[in-house]
Amino acid sequence: MLKTKILGFELENPLVIAAGPWNRDGAGIKASIESGAGAVVTESIVSDTVIDARPRIAADSMGAQNIRLYSDIQIEGWEREMAIAKSAGGVVIASVSGHSPSEVSYLASKLEKYGADGIELSVSNPAVEALEVVAANPETLYEMTKAVVSAVKIPVAVKLSQNTTNIAKVAKAVKAANASAVTAINTVRGILGVDVETAQPSLSTYGGISGEYIRPMGLASVATIAQTVDIPICGVGGVHSAKNVLEYMMLGATTVQVGTAVMLEGRQIISKIIRELEVWAQDHNIRDLTEIRGIALNNLKSFEEMKFRPSVNTANGTVCKENCNKCIDVCLHEAITRTGDMINVDRGKCTGCGLCESVCPAKKLKLGW
């Protein structure tokens, strides 16, 4: 029911554990595979490792900021780590990052030799801006992707950044370079917050923001790519439930990566999401996940296609016993009132903005024409 095909592999489920420090070595990758994920991506591997900053990770209830750059294991050490990782079976995708086509193709070929099943080319790092030029430049990205694809026989995916003015154009360049898939999106450059008593930022520099903060951007990027480029997509950003997985898939993703949730909640989050997906699929009579892939795109319009004819809330006479006045408080036109348990809308004042409908905890307000 949850089996998914991507990069030429048939995965047991669409969950992929994303690149990150939780997959920093063979033991970590092995543990990720054993958690039940369909595939696992190594932490990004580079030619020259760097010393970690301390502290380097900050988190809150919505996500995290991370300034760990890359794997601290030299490329030669990955022969040993890959053997440990592959001892558990499963699909292991090696993430590689570099500054030139020759550098990334060299890394990819070495990792193929060490046993990697696929390559994910990472072309951005929000803590270091040098590679952002690659992520936003279709021509440069084409050359880097083409070099990796030409250097290996295993499938190659490219992890795109949201920090570009036209992610569809970048995805087209990746497809033209014969990549097998794209991953969207990487973390987004940001600052998690500031302690207002000490004026100390969460971390003392800019870093990659992940978690729920970036899910809307991830969803939009996946949808944009799916609408313009015929290439398999792995969605990533803010996934911590089956609902989030389904959102990405309904907007065109074939697989979905989980990263920050693994870091903050442990690898057991994978089995939890898988169980949730199985229950949802059974409840909705879904026999194959291809049945839902991209179905939300039919309801996604350009701004020019949006309806501008008058619409109003049709909640007059709705019985609401919720102990809140949320709809009344947020109404920008003071069109909603309550009489006892009855919600009333002044149709002369209501302009159909939709805010009340989206914030109502009981979902009792609907727009009509």
Side-chain angles (χ1 to χ4, degrees):
M1 180 168 53
L2 298 184
K3 288 185 183 296
T4 305
K5 291 182 180 179
I6 196 169
L7 297 176
F9 305 111
E10 182 171 84
L11 310 183
E12 288 299 312
N13 59 73
L15 297 188
V16 177
I17 297 187
W22 43 88
N23 291 336
R24 67 166 295 274
D25 58 14
I29 297 165
K30 185 173 182 286
S32 290
I33 292 170
E34 292 171 342
S35 73
V40 176
V41 185
T42 72
E43 187 169 29
S44 293
I45 300 163
V46 294
S47 300
D48 298 310
T49 59
V50 294
I51 298 174
D52 275 327
R54 301 176 186 180
R56 55 185 171 273
I57 302 173
D60 62 17
S61 61
M62 289 282 287
Q65 179 184 350
N66 184 357
I67 58 172
R68 178 171 164 89
L69 299 179
Y70 310 107
S71 167
D72 55 7
I73 299 172
Q74 295 283 352
I75 180 63
E76 291 78 12
W78 275 96
E79 183 172 13
R80 176 189 68 252
E81 303 304 330
M82 193 63 70
I84 296 170
K86 293 292 292 180
S87 68
V91 176
V92 178
I93 299 166
S95 173
V96 301
S97 185
H99 296 275
S100 68
S102 60
E103 183 181 6
V104 289
S105 60
Y106 169 77
L107 292 169
S109 61
K110 293 285 281 188
L111 288 158
E112 178 184 36
K113 179 182 176 182
Y114 296 158
D117 298 299
I119 299 294
E120 183 178 85
L121 176 58
S122 179
V123 294
S124 67
N125 189 315
V128 181
E129 289 190 307
L131 289 180
E132 293 296 339
V133 176
V134 177
N137 188 310
E139 291 77 19
T140 304
L141 187 53
Y142 172 86
E143 295 299 333
M144 294 187 80
T145 305
K146 192 69 175 177
V148 175
V149 170
S150 300
V152 299
K153 293 182 173 64
I154 54 179
V156 176
V158 180
K159 190 171 190 178
L160 303 181
S161 170
Q162 211 272 337
N163 293 336
T164 177
T165 56
N166 192 331
I167 199 167
K169 189 173 182 180
V170 171
K172 287 179 181 179
V174 169
K175 178 178 170 61
N178 293 321
S180 298
V182 295
T183 300
I185 55 174
N186 199 358
T187 54
V188 176
R189 182 177 172 86
I191 295 172
L192 192 65
V194 175
D195 184 328
V196 297
E197 301 302 325
T198 64
Q200 180 65 39
S202 299
L203 294 174
S204 297
T205 188
Y206 303 92
I209 301 296
S210 61
E212 292 186 58
Y213 289 110
I214 71 168
R215 187 168 61 247
M217 289 177 273
L219 292 172
S221 296
V222 166
T224 299
I225 295 166
Q227 285 182 323
T228 55
V229 187
D230 181 19
I231 190 170
I233 307 167
C234 185
V236 55
V239 176
H240 64 87
S241 69
K243 177 181 181 293
N244 303 148
V245 174
L246 294 166
E247 288 176 310
Y248 273 105
M249 297 190 79
M250 288 183 179
L251 287 171
T254 298
T255 54
V256 177
Q257 293 190 10
V258 186
T260 300
V262 168
M263 179 171 67
L264 299 182
E265 301 183 46
R267 292 182 177 87
Q268 62 268 20
I269 190 71
I270 298 298
S271 58
K272 175 179 177 289
I273 294 174
I274 290 171
R275 288 194 300 271
E276 290 175 351
L277 281 173
E278 289 172 340
V279 170
W280 188 90
Q282 290 170 356
D283 289 347
H284 293 78
N285 297 315
I286 301 299
R287 292 170 294 180
D288 191 301
L289 291 177
T290 57
E291 297 174 33
I292 65 167
R293 187 184 305 148
I295 61 173
L297 295 174
N298 296 327
N299 299 317
L300 192 63
K301 305 175 177 65
S302 67
F303 181 78
E304 290 73 20
E305 295 174 297
M306 292 293 290
K307 294 179 179 178
F308 289 95
R309 57 195 176 99
S311 63
V312 295
N313 196 301
T314 59
N316 269 352
T318 295
V319 177
C320 181
K321 296 184 179 180
E322 296 293 319
N323 187 26
C324 82
N325 286 313
K326 191 69 175 175
C327 60
I328 298 171
D329 293 338
V330 304
C331 183
L332 300 173
H333 300 278
E334 300 182 346
I336 305 176
T337 57
R338 176 196 285 269
T339 304
D341 291 336
M342 307 297 287
I343 298 297
N344 299 295
V345 179
D346 185 333
R347 296 174 66 90
K349 291 182 177 180
C350 177
T351 65
C353 74
L355 179 58
C356 60
E357 182 179 353
S358 66
V359 302
C360 175
K363 301 303 178 187
K364 294 193 173 186
L365 304 176
K366 299 293 180 185
L367 292 183
W369 308 101

